[in-house]
C-alpha cells in the first residue's frame, strides 16, 4: 500500500514568512534547541497521519466544500512543551473562525475513516525542537498574521530530517 503522512495546515506564503521571520528569529535566541528552519514553519489544523494515496483526491475534494472565513492569528507567547520537547510560539486565544475551521476539518477527517487525535487543539508554530525546559513568557513583540486559505500537507522524512510540502493549496 502506498501511503503519505498528511495533515491540514496554515502554510505561510512568502509575505507571511517574512513577517514571521522578523518575529521568530529573535525568539529562537531565547531558547536552547535545534531551530526549525523558516521553510518549515506552519500551523497544523488537523492531523490525519498515514493515508493510502488513493483516498487523497476524495479528501481534497471534500475539503473544498469546507467554509473558510479569513481570520487573523496573533502570536505573542513562547512556551515549552515537555512531551515533544519543543519551543513554540502560541496565541493568547483561538479566533472563532479558526475554531470553526478546525472543527470542520476534524469532522472531515472522521468522515474519511480516520480517528482524529483526542486532545485540546492548541495552535502553534514550532520554533525549536529538542528544546530545553524554560518558563513560558509573553513576548515583547507579537506577530499578527491574516490567513485566507489552508493547505493539505505532506510530512516527509528523509535522512533523519522531516520537512513539509503542500499537496494542494486551492481550498
Amino acid at each position: 500500500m502506498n501511503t503519505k503522512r498528511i495533515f491540514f495546515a496554515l502554510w505561510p506564503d512568502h509575505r507571511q514568512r517574512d513577517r514571521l521571520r522578523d518575529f521568530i528569529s529573535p525568539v529562537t535566541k531565547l531558547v536552547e534547541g535545534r531551530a526549525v528552519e523558516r521553510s518549515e514553519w506552519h500551523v497544523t489544523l488537523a492531523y490525519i497521519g498515514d493515508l493510502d494515496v488513493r483516498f487523497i483526491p476524495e479528501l481534497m475534494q471534500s475539503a473544498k466544500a469546507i467554509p473558510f472565513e479569513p481570520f487573523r492569528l496573533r502570536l505573542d507567547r513562547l512556551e515549552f512543551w515537555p512531551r515533544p520537547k519543543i519551543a513554540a510560539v502560541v496565541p493568547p486565544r483561538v479566533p472563532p473562525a479558526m475554531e470553526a475551521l478546525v472543527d470542520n476539518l476534524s469532522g472531515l477527517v472522521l468522515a474519511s475513516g480516520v480517528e482524529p487525535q483526542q486532545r485540546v487543539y492548541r495552535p502553534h508554530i514550532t520554533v525549536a525542537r529538542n528544546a530545553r525546559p524554560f518558563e513560558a513568557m509573553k513576548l515583547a513583540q507579537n506577530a499578527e498574521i491574516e490567513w485566507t486559505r489552508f493547505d493539505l500537507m505532506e510530512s516527509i522524512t528523509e535522512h533523519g530530517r522531516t520537512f513539509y510540502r503542500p499537496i494542494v493549496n486551492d481550498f
Side-chain angles (χ1 to χ4, degrees):
M1 172 168 61
N2 188 9
T3 64
K4 291 186 179 204
R5 180 167 288 150
I6 60 174
F7 59 99
F8 288 105
L10 300 175
W11 186 249
D13 61 25
H14 292 295
R15 180 186 55 78
Q16 291 167 317
R17 279 196 197 282
D18 287 346
R19 174 73 177 104
L20 287 168
R21 177 200 61 219
D22 295 343
F23 169 66
I24 292 174
S25 291
V27 169
T28 59
K29 294 177 179 133
L30 300 174
V31 297
E32 291 182 55
R34 182 173 43 86
V36 172
E37 292 184 35
R38 175 181 180 223
S39 62
E40 305 304 321
W41 294 336
H42 66 280
V43 179
T44 299
L45 297 168
Y47 182 75
I48 298 164
D50 292 330
L51 185 70
D52 188 313
V53 295
R54 295 175 297 165
F55 299 117
I56 291 176
E58 181 182 333
L59 183 66
M60 290 171 24
Q61 191 62 36
S62 296
K64 289 180 182 181
I66 290 180
F68 185 90
E69 181 182 330
F71 59 88
R72 297 180 76 77
L73 182 64
R74 190 172 121 238
L75 302 164
D76 71 349
R77 304 180 60 74
L78 179 64
E79 294 182 356
F80 172 73
W81 291 8
R83 184 158 184 208
K85 293 184 181 177
I86 63 167
V89 289
V90 300
R93 62 179 169 36
V94 181
M98 185 179 197
E99 280 185 22
L101 177 61
V102 168
D103 288 346
N104 285 330
L105 288 171
S106 295
L108 175 63
V109 170
L110 185 60
S112 69
V114 176
E115 187 66 33
Q117 294 178 328
Q118 298 298 314
R119 59 181 171 194
V120 174
Y121 177 68
R122 297 185 63 205
H124 67 282
I125 296 176
T126 302
V127 298
R129 298 191 184 286
N130 298 320
R132 297 220 177 180
F134 61 88
E135 293 296 318
M137 63 186 87
K138 184 162 176 39
L139 299 166
Q141 300 289 324
N142 69 62
E144 191 164 338
I145 307 293
E146 183 171 6
W147 300 96
T148 58
R149 62 174 237 278
F150 63 94
D151 295 288
L152 181 62
M153 305 292 300
E154 178 181 7
S155 174
I156 302 165
T157 301
E158 290 180 351
H159 309 294
R161 183 178 173 270
T162 301
F163 61 97
Y164 310 103
R165 178 177 69 199
I167 295 176
V168 68
N169 63 3
D170 59 356
F171 298 123

